[in-house]
Every structure is written in C-alpha cells, then in structure tokens.
Amino acid sequence: MLPARFYRFVFSGLMSIWLSTLMTGLVTLINTGIDPEFLLRWGRAFVIAWPIAFSLVLISGGTVTRIANNLTRDSRVQAAE
C-alpha cells in the first residue's frame, strides 16, 4: 500500500489508463474496424493518448471535483431534508 499522499497520482494514473484504453479502443474500432493491424493501431493511439490524459487528470482533477461538489448536494444535507 502507498501512503495517502500519493492518492492524487494513483487516482490520476488509474483514471487516465482506464479512459485512454476505452476511448482509443473505441475510436480506433469505429474509424478503422477490426483487422490484423487493429491492436497495433490501438497500441499506438494509447501510447499517445495516455500521457496526455494523465497530465490532464492530474492538472484538472481538483477543479472538476470542486465543480462536481458545487453541482451536487451533500448527502448529509439531503438526509436532513
């Protein structure tokens, strides 16, 4: 287990890997279809997309969390209503 101070990096890494894998796979599939070169094209797209996604999640994750918190009610407030 890693110390809690690494949470932001672990979360950013996992979220960016998950999203990059799904997005590059789906976009590659939609644009080119499945053929013998599909996995190679998907791999190339992932290698380009993942570092970009990681950087964006790392940089903007806190802002997005604050926006989401502002757009939703606190569960403690809902329980009291």
Side-chain angles (χ1 to χ4, degrees):
M1 290 302 224
L2 295 171
R5 69 178 181 267
F6 294 112
Y7 174 84
R8 186 171 153 219
F9 295 101
V10 172
F11 177 83
S12 296
L14 293 173
M15 182 61 76
S16 62
I17 288 170
W18 176 249
L19 289 175
S20 295
T21 299
L22 293 175
M23 294 301 296
T24 57
L26 289 171
V27 171
T28 302
L29 177 66
I30 290 167
N31 286 333
T32 66
I34 295 180
D35 62 17
E37 299 295 315
F38 173 77
L39 290 177
L40 181 62
R41 286 191 308 274
W42 185 1
R44 284 183 190 148
F46 177 82
V47 167
I48 294 167
W50 179 74
I52 296 167
F54 178 74
S55 300
L56 292 173
V57 171
L58 194 61
I59 291 167
S60 63
T63 302
V64 173
T65 299
R66 282 191 295 282
I67 292 169
N69 285 336
N70 289 334
L71 293 173
T72 57
R73 292 185 177 181
D74 186 340
S75 59
R76 292 171 292 179
V77 174
Q78 288 178 348
E81 292 179 345

